[in-house]
Every structure is written in structure tokens, then in C-alpha cells.
Amino acid sequence: MSKMLGSYRFYESFFSALFFLRWFIYPVATSPSFSTVFGVFIMLLVQGYYLAFFFILSHNFKGVHIIHD
């Protein structure tokens, strides 16, 4: 990894932990059941596919040109 990115490692770790806390630990702590874990898993799975689908659509279409420096 580049040394220039070293200063951002703390922020990346912090926000990754915050995401995990908000979308997995908190729901399981407030409602500990298999359906909560399953629901969070399905939500993250659908979110990932949704994001990937629209990312692919918006970045790969006819007429896209690659700009080289």
C-alpha cells in the first residue's frame, strides 16, 4: 500500500467498524434471533447486488470513451 494512504487507514478502519456496528451488532443486540441475522444478511446481499448492477449500468454503455493521459 502506498505511504500516502497511511493517514487514511484510521478513517477507513473507523468507518468500517461503524458500518459493522450499525448494520449487524446493533440489530442483533436489540433483537437477538435468527430472523434478525437472516434479515440483515438478505438486506446486505440485495444492497450489494443493487449497487453492483447500477454501477455496471452507469459505467459500461455504448459510447463510453477511455481518456488516457
Side-chain angles (χ1 to χ4, degrees), residues 52-65:
F53 177 75
F54 284 103
F55 182 83
I56 289 169
L57 277 181
S58 67
H59 289 85
N60 298 302
F61 56 90
K62 203 173 200 176
V64 173
H65 301 285

Side-chain angles (χ1 to χ4, degrees), residues 24-65:
F24 188 74
I25 301 296
Y26 182 71
V28 172
T30 57
S31 178
S33 67
F34 175 74
S35 62
T36 302
V37 174
F38 185 70
V40 168
F41 174 74
I42 294 298
M43 178 199 62
L44 292 174
L45 185 71
V46 169
Q47 172 206 357
Y49 278 115
Y50 182 85
L51 182 64
F53 177 75
F54 284 103
F55 182 83
I56 289 169
L57 277 181
S58 67
H59 289 85
N60 298 302
F61 56 90
K62 203 173 200 176
V64 173
H65 301 285

Side-chain angles (χ1 to χ4, degrees), residues 10-27:
F10 169 76
Y11 296 110
E12 179 183 357
S13 300
F14 175 74
F15 286 115
S16 293
L18 192 63
F19 176 85
F20 188 71
L21 178 73
R22 168 61 179 97
W23 292 109
F24 188 74
I25 301 296
Y26 182 71

